[in-house]
Amino acid sequence: RIIGTSALIAFIAYSPQLSGLFHGTTRTQRIIFNTLVGLIYFNYYLVVKTDPGTVPKEWQPEPVKAASDNAITDASCDKEDPHTTTLNIGDLRYCKKCENFKAPRSHHCRYCKRCTLRFDHHCPWINNCVGFHNYAHFLRFLFFVDLSCAMHLYLLTFAAFNADNYRNRANDPTPLEVALLVLNYVLCIPVLVTVGLFSLFHYWNLICNTTTIEGSEIDRVKKMVRRGKITEVVYPFNIGILANVTSTIGHTPIEWLFTGKAAGDGLSYPHAEGSGMYQIHN
């Protein structure tokens, strides 16, 4: 799937340039577009090759404060697996498969067969888990895909519907050019829509400092609160929008776009007051 994803990016990015479909666009526009495509590939490489992190063998948590009895319950990607014990976020959690304690926000991945730090999900398109050390690369990959697809459609539409472009051409568009034009629209629009919606979901998770699994846990807890089964609880890791962002992808806009990474070691996290979450020391 990595090869297929790379090939799809290459086709959408370069087929209109090599076939002349971007005829009439400026050199500056093409430079910007190809820079964005380069950033897609760069971050895709990083998210594929970067180890998301795993709980060190024999690591043990040190509770500083007892967890609330009503803490949000934990769920892992193999939650139906009887070999894995899952307890409350504030409790000590132990993975029988790894034979090791689970750090806060870590979960066992049944594909990678290990507990991944700040586990978000296992992505088949990168053949890797998205977790603590590569989540920032993953967000940047989505962001540059969004920008590149939007600019691709703009340049394609500008060139296709600008009458001046065709008056300056020696010949009418060939059947191959027409076929490539249609194919680029057919491929790029669904990618922009699907990746765009997926990106919005993860941007929301970023400002709330949640993972995909934790979002499901929060929804489940809200249902239990509405049904009167438990009292309202405070999500432990939402420490404010700016702090949520800077702790995940860096402290400045430059870091957000290029070099930023998650703060800390992935074994302990600041938590909101009143959440009942204990601190973990490495």
Side-chain angles (χ1 to χ4, degrees):
R1 290 191 177 183
I2 293 175
I3 295 175
T5 301
S6 300
L8 176 63
I9 296 169
F11 180 83
I12 295 175
Y14 301 119
S15 64
Q17 299 184 72
L18 296 176
S19 64
L21 291 180
F22 279 177
H23 178 77
T25 58
T26 67
R27 182 181 179 183
T28 300
Q29 289 173 326
R30 293 192 294 274
I31 289 174
I32 294 173
F33 177 72
N34 284 294
T35 300
L36 293 175
V37 173
L39 290 169
I40 289 177
Y41 275 117
F42 177 65
N43 284 284
Y44 186 61
Y45 173 82
L46 289 177
V47 77
V48 169
K49 291 297 185 180
T50 302
D51 189 330
T54 188
V55 181
K57 197 66 178 175
E58 309 302 333
W59 175 86
Q60 293 184 347
E62 181 185 345
V64 174
K65 184 173 66 174
S68 168
D69 291 337
N70 293 322
I72 303 173
T73 55
D74 173 56
S76 71
C77 63
D78 61 341
K79 60 183 178 182
E80 301 298 329
D81 191 333
H83 298 291
T84 299
T85 301
T86 56
L87 303 173
N88 291 341
I89 281 182
D91 294 332
L92 304 184
R93 300 182 300 133
Y94 189 83
C95 178
K96 290 186 177 180
K97 276 194 169 183
C98 295
E99 297 182 341
N100 197 23
F101 282 103
K102 288 184 177 183
R105 315 186 80 177
S106 67
H107 298 273
H108 188 88
C109 176
R110 61 186 175 189
Y111 301 105
C112 297
K113 302 186 185 306
R114 62 177 186 171
C115 287
T116 299
L117 297 177
R118 198 187 184 276
F119 179 82
D120 189 274
H121 66 284
H122 182 90
C123 180
W125 304 106
I126 65 171
N127 193 32
N128 197 5
C129 283
V130 176
F132 181 76
H133 290 295
N134 64 353
Y135 188 61
H137 304 314
F138 180 71
L139 288 175
R140 283 190 282 270
F141 168 70
L142 296 179
F143 178 72
F144 288 118
V145 168
D146 295 336
L147 285 185
S148 297
C149 283
M151 189 169 187
H152 172 277
L153 289 175
Y154 167 77
L155 295 178
L156 199 65
T157 302
F158 174 83
F161 292 96
N162 188 345
D164 290 336
N165 290 339
Y166 290 102
R167 281 196 291 268
N168 295 329
R169 287 175 61 106
N171 302 303
D172 291 332
T174 65
L176 177 59
E177 288 178 329
V178 174
L180 284 174
L181 177 66
V182 172
L183 190 56
N184 268 268
Y185 275 113
V186 168
L187 291 175
C188 190
I189 291 175
V191 169
L192 179 58
V193 171
T194 55
V195 175
L197 292 174
F198 190 58
S199 301
L200 290 176
F201 169 75
H202 278 283
Y203 300 155
W204 176 256
N205 283 353
L206 172 65
I207 65 175
C208 295
N209 202 5
T210 61
T211 64
T212 298
I213 284 183
E214 290 164 357
S216 298
E217 294 172 346
I218 292 171
D219 290 339
R220 186 170 62 252
V221 167
K222 287 180 178 179
K223 290 180 181 178
M224 295 174 69
V225 171
R226 287 196 298 268
R227 294 172 183 173
K229 293 184 178 181
I230 62 174
T231 57
E232 190 74 42
V233 296
V234 177
Y235 175 66
F237 307 113
N238 190 347
I239 53 177
I241 293 177
L242 183 59
N244 292 339
V245 172
T246 57
S247 66
T248 305
I249 61 172
H251 289 84
T252 66
I254 295 296
E255 290 183 341
W256 300 349
L257 290 175
F258 300 108
T259 63
K261 59 182 181 179
D265 56 9
L267 297 171
S268 62
Y269 301 88
H271 64 280
E273 294 184 8
S275 64
M277 180 65 188
Y278 60 76
Q279 290 276 17
I280 297 297
H281 300 282
N282 187 16

